[in-house]
Amino acid sequence: MKKKHIIRGLAATIIVAAMPLSLSACAKGGSTSSNNDNSGGPKTISMWTHNAGNKDELASIQAIVKDYNASQTGYKVDVQAFPQDSYNQSVVSAAAAKKLPCLLDIDGPNVPNWAWAGYLAPIEGMDDTFSKFLPTVLGKWNDKTYSYGFYDVALTMVTRKSILEKYGIRIPTIDKPWTKDELTAALDKIKASGDFQYPLDIATSFTGEWWPYAYSPFLQSFGGDLINRNDYKSADGVLNGPQAVEWAKWFHGLVTNKYVPLKSGTDPAADFMNGKTAILYNGSWTAVATRAKFKDVLFLPSVDLGQGPKIGGGSWQWGMSTNCANPEGAADYLKFAAQDKYVASVSKATTNIPATDAAAKMVPGFGPGQENEVFLNYAKKFAVLRPPTPGYTFIATEFTKTAQDILNGADPQQSLDQAVKDIDANQKSNNYFQ
Amino acid sequence: MSTTQTDPTPIAATAVAPPHGSKPIGRSPAAVAWLMLVPAGVLLITFLIIPIILTFILAFTNARLISPRPATFVGVDNFIRLFQDETFWASLRNTVVFAVVIVPVQSAIALGLAVLVNKKMRGINFFRTVYFLPVVTSIVVVSMLWLFMYQPNGLINAVLARFGIQGPDWLGNPNTALFAIIVLSIWQACGMHMIIWLSGLQTIPGELYEAAEIDGATKWQQFQHVTWPGLRPTAVFILITITIAAFSLFAQVNLMTQGGPLDATTTLVFMAVRVGFQQQQTGYASAISLVFFALVLIVTLIYRYLTRDKDAR
């Protein structure tokens, strides 16, 4: 009895003690908005970015903000940078607390998810500007544009001219890329020579978004896809159809035939430059380092596995939140930042593909006939957006796990069926994100 | 985890509480005791009790991490789905295998080390420190280091190659991945338990050994009849802490294998985190956590039964 009494007393005390705490927390949450400076002077527009760990990109964004703040007196943009690893979590928790900043950057494939969740507000009145941007840098959902990016990246097969010539392999072009059989024959020749540990490296050691970004284009080149793009309701037939099974067998075959390592080294680009691998499947971001190492480096189009080469599209993009006290200011900044000179400066800082043709002319290397023009052409010709559905974040994790299992020898049909089942269940349990 | 530490506070309170007298409430020792309980109580309730209650509720809803729609009650759907999920059974199996191997092996190695470093000799603190070093190193750092050592052409296989053994791709092979993680986990954590064993060893009075020696007991007999019985309370504590730590295996898996290859290293906690955060299914993840909670509860109750103090009855 005594003990029971004490426990009851304890509970009561704690509840009473906790109440003022939680009440004050509520009151605080209610009164603070994301913009606290409304008394005269310029209104503050808060901005979050993921690139705290990326000096060059951050500096280029800060330069735009500085120009913007100097160009007018109504608003003052205030940049806050986060490390990339914790950025998404910060945004999600800020959204839960209704404390999102006015402006924020978003990884392209996440845009529909955040738009659906009500984090992002559509960008109005910039359609003319957007018509000049690469379609893959625009974050669209339900016919509205929620974000735009300054740049895109392209996937490419990196190798050396001397390697291809030595083994008598045809140098593919954007109009006549390698076919599946040609690639196989090339890999066989290189493997037979024994000059390399592996003929090809597809960077399986990368984690996270790399898997769907880099390997779902192979699936699409076979004729499969991550989800049926007519209505985004089901993956049945596209992710587990005959083409998808063909893809899975081919993908696993890369490992069983010893064309690629099951698990790449921590830095596949370094392995390529050290002569361990002959061909490297990677993003255009490897261009700077590989060019510095080899004079005869080639950036080839990805392989045509049936439906033409495909590469992933969409990188980090900018949008505005629904939680902004000064939406006109945020929209004004987005218009200001979309100028070609800023597209050019950010692309240059990140050595990525400029999102507009006019900007491409201002960035060294991307002009007509210059060394980086191939990447722009690949992005224009081959890029496929990851499915713009709020369910993408789930699809991405399912695809990653399934692709990993397939590489490790899981039964293709069975694992793809399981992935389809899970994806369909998720789409359905969210009422198809209507 | 809570089960091991729920009791002390109320008991402490009873000890202070008794004198109910004529003093005004605000001054009575009981009131002071309650007041002192408040900080710990508030923290425990906010960060332990409320989340547990929330887990119980969320497990029966379709709550999501990001969604414009409120969660709705879905009954036992999450559990039906869970019990049909092969990854769940793989996670459960790996968690149990991990615990079943870790608990005896790690406590035995730690005891062996403790006996070794319990000698009185010069420089013994050096060895104690060496064995304890992995414990004070962050598990993240340890996992990254072993990740390099376990590479197909890493340190471990290079050493094996010297003896003419072709080592496997430790973390890439479904047959060796869990074993590899077990070895690293034991190496990392056994220093901690060595220290606990050591503290237990040092509570055993030296006279007992002298008496045993006079009676002609061998070293092994001394261990059997003096050391081991004297370590009983320590053993119970170590058993429970290792088991709970083993069940909550997460960091190594998340850093080294992400549950692969072919679900060979996925665990219940890893699965709950993956489902709850990466896949944003809060309700489903809560169901996994609830199953995990039940598992730990059952194991703890079994331990309490097995290690109950028989003399006290």
Side-chain angles (χ1 to χ4, degrees):
Chain A
M1 280 321 283
K2 181 93 192 168
K3 195 168 179 182
K4 204 173 183 183
H5 177 76
I6 284 178
I7 288 173
R8 201 181 294 154
L10 175 74
T13 316
I14 286 165
I15 288 168
V16 171
M19 237 182 227
L21 268 183
S22 58
L23 284 181
S24 69
C26 285
K28 202 177 169 201
S31 68
T32 320
S33 80
S34 54
N35 308 290
N36 36 18
D37 188 3
N38 287 338
S39 54
K43 292 172 182 163
T44 305
I45 309 280
S46 50
M47 172 201 266
W48 283 8
T49 169
H50 76 284
N51 44 36
N54 188 341
K55 263 190 212 159
D56 297 333
E57 184 168 5
L58 182 58
S60 66
I61 298 295
Q62 279 166 335
I64 302 177
V65 168
K66 202 175 156 197
D67 285 4
Y68 177 73
N69 288 344
S71 74
Q72 43 76 52
T73 51
Y75 306 103
K76 182 175 171 294
V77 175
D78 184 27
V79 186
Q80 197 179 351
F82 291 72
Q84 183 166 348
D85 284 345
S86 60
Y87 180 71
N88 283 0
Q89 279 164 305
S90 306
V91 171
V92 170
S93 37
K98 302 244 179 288
K99 287 190 177 188
L100 278 175
C102 274
L103 295 161
L104 67 166
D105 63 353
I106 318 117
D107 197 2
N110 281 337
V111 170
N113 189 261
W114 289 5
W116 167 74
Y119 294 7
L120 301 178
I123 304 174
E124 314 274 2
M126 284 180 66
D127 291 349
D128 281 351
T129 318
F130 289 157
S131 66
K132 294 178 193 119
F133 277 62
L134 284 173
T136 49
V137 304
L138 299 177
K140 287 188 177 182
W141 184 60
N142 269 0
D143 299 327
K144 284 184 182 140
T145 307
Y146 286 87
S147 61
Y148 70 86
F150 294 111
Y151 54 78
D152 205 347
V153 287
L155 287 163
T156 175
M157 299 261 186
V158 190
T159 186
R160 301 176 62 185
K161 200 174 177 194
S162 53
I163 293 175
L164 297 190
E165 279 170 352
K166 182 174 170 193
Y167 303 104
I169 300 163
R170 178 179 75 86
I171 296 174
T173 60
I174 187 163
D175 297 314
K176 203 159 177 276
W178 281 332
T179 62
K180 183 171 140 230
D181 293 338
E182 258 186 301
L183 176 70
T184 311
L187 295 177
D188 274 330
K189 273 185 207 161
I190 300 173
K191 191 177 105 179
S193 75
D195 293 344
F196 297 91
Q197 279 181 6
Y198 287 97
L200 177 65
D201 190 341
I202 55 173
T204 52
S205 54
F206 293 174
T207 53
E209 189 54 33
W210 168 254
W211 281 67
Y213 172 72
Y215 307 140
S216 70
F218 288 144
L219 168 69
Q220 285 148 353
S221 186
F222 265 103
D225 207 342
L226 294 169
I227 190 165
N228 199 319
R229 296 198 190 216
N230 295 328
D231 49 11
Y232 296 100
K233 281 189 174 171
S234 166
D236 195 30
V238 291
L239 185 53
N240 60 352
Q243 290 102 337
V245 175
E246 278 305 303
W247 161 77
K249 285 180 180 157
W250 173 81
F251 198 50
H252 183 218
L254 291 179
V255 170
T256 49
N257 292 320
K258 301 222 178 291
Y259 294 148
V260 304
L262 175 58
K263 178 134 192 200
S264 307
T266 13
D267 187 353
D271 287 344
F272 168 71
M273 287 187 279
N274 292 330
K276 288 184 180 170
T277 51
I279 305 171
L280 171 71
Y281 179 65
N282 220 314
S284 45
W285 55 81
T286 46
V288 178
T290 46
R291 271 195 192 116
K293 173 86 182 175
F294 300 125
K295 285 224 162 55
D296 63 342
V297 65
L298 294 172
F299 299 96
L300 309 175
S302 186
V303 56
D304 176 4
L305 298 163
Q307 308 292 314
K310 306 282 177 207
I311 61 174
S315 190
W316 285 84
Q317 304 170 356
W318 289 89
M320 55 193 270
S321 80
T322 48
N323 193 35
C324 181
N326 300 305
E328 315 78 35
D332 191 47
Y333 169 82
L334 286 175
K335 272 198 191 96
F336 180 85
Q339 297 176 55
D340 287 322
K341 63 175 177 181
Y342 296 128
V343 173
S345 65
V346 180
S347 309
K348 193 176 165 192
T350 54
T351 60
N352 284 325
I353 304 165
T356 67
D357 282 337
K361 290 193 183 100
M362 297 180 215
V363 181
F366 283 95
Q370 288 180 300
E371 56 178 9
N372 287 329
E373 199 202 3
V374 283
F375 300 131
L376 182 61
N377 291 337
Y378 295 162
K380 278 185 181 167
K381 196 164 179 195
F382 302 144
V384 181
L385 272 184
R386 281 156 280 178
T389 162
Y392 175 75
T393 38
F394 183 89
I395 296 174
T397 61
E398 274 305 311
F399 178 79
T400 303
K401 183 174 183 303
T402 307
Q404 282 168 345
D405 286 351
I406 286 170
L407 270 195
N408 280 294
D411 180 71
Q413 186 73 59
Q414 217 177 328
S415 20
L416 291 170
D417 281 345
Q418 182 63 42
V420 166
K421 209 175 115 196
D422 290 343
I423 290 170
D424 285 10
N426 184 60
Q427 297 291 105
K428 184 162 177 276
S429 79
N430 283 292
N431 200 21
Y432 305 109
F433 301 100
Q434 300 290 305
Chain B
M1 255 195 232
S2 61
T3 43
T4 56
Q5 40 176 250
T6 42
D7 281 339
T9 29
I11 289 167
T14 4
V16 196
H20 277 288
S22 52
K23 281 184 189 172
I25 285 258
R27 299 274 173 82
S28 77
V32 174
W34 287 122
L35 203 65
M36 289 184 162
L37 262 181
V38 166
V42 168
L43 289 178
L44 271 179
I45 294 216
T46 323
F47 295 109
L48 198 71
I49 312 289
I50 292 179
I52 288 177
I53 295 170
L54 278 180
T55 308
F56 267 87
I57 300 168
L58 287 172
F60 298 95
T61 69
N62 65 353
R64 306 184 60 82
L65 191 62
I66 298 179
S67 173
R69 275 198 312 278
T72 54
F73 186 73
V74 294
V76 292
D77 278 13
N78 284 332
F79 293 93
I80 295 173
R81 204 181 131 200
L82 189 59
F83 294 136
Q84 288 171 346
D85 191 338
E86 278 175 41
T87 306
F88 166 73
W89 293 110
S91 305
L92 187 63
R93 190 189 63 227
N94 293 335
T95 308
V96 171
V97 167
F98 186 79
V100 165
V101 176
I102 282 275
V103 171
V105 175
Q106 184 173 318
S107 44
I109 291 178
L111 179 57
L113 288 179
V115 172
L116 279 181
V117 300
N118 195 26
K119 299 269 174 350
K120 286 199 174 58
M121 58 177 263
R122 273 159 98 62
I124 196 68
N125 276 335
F126 172 75
F127 289 100
R128 289 180 186 173
T129 312
V130 166
Y131 295 138
F132 198 68
L133 266 182
V135 180
V136 294
T137 312
S138 156
I139 186 69
V140 176
V141 176
V142 171
S143 299
M144 295 311 283
L145 282 177
W146 282 73
L147 189 63
F148 287 115
M149 283 162 57
Y150 277 138
Q151 297 261 327
N153 50 4
L155 178 69
I156 291 176
N157 281 355
V159 172
L160 286 179
R162 291 219 148 204
F163 299 100
I165 303 166
Q166 166 76 42
D169 179 2
W170 293 98
L171 295 169
N173 185 332
N175 297 321
T176 55
L178 187 61
F179 172 75
I181 289 188
I182 287 175
V183 170
L184 129 86
S185 305
I186 291 177
W187 177 81
Q188 198 263 343
C190 72
M192 181 72 204
H193 296 102
M194 172 195 83
I195 294 292
I196 302 173
W197 281 124
L198 191 60
S199 71
L201 284 175
Q202 298 192 335
T203 60
I204 303 171
E207 300 90 65
L208 291 181
Y209 290 103
E210 283 172 27
E213 216 163 302
I214 290 165
D215 287 346
T218 63
K219 283 276 170 207
W220 172 243
Q221 283 171 324
Q222 282 180 26
F223 179 82
Q224 229 181 338
H225 299 289
V226 178
T227 313
W228 186 241
L231 284 176
R232 199 182 136 76
T234 319
V236 172
F237 177 73
I238 285 198
L239 202 62
I240 291 180
T241 50
I242 296 190
T243 310
I244 290 173
F247 274 129
S248 54
L249 169 67
F250 170 74
Q252 297 94 310
V253 172
N254 190 38
L255 288 161
M256 297 172 79
T257 60
Q258 291 85 43
L262 296 179
D263 286 344
T265 58
T266 175
T267 64
L268 286 180
V269 178
F270 177 78
M271 187 188 174
V273 171
R274 178 174 178 271
V275 166
F277 292 98
Q278 288 178 18
Q279 304 200 322
Q280 309 179 350
Q281 307 175 54
T282 312
Y284 193 41
S286 299
I288 300 172
S289 308
L290 203 56
V291 171
F292 179 70
F293 178 80
L295 184 74
V296 174
L297 192 67
I298 291 169
V299 171
T300 316
L301 287 178
I302 293 174
Y303 273 177
R304 288 197 80 147
Y305 177 76
L306 290 179
T307 59
R308 69 193 182 284
D309 204 346
K310 287 172 189 128
D311 303 336
R313 307 219 147 197

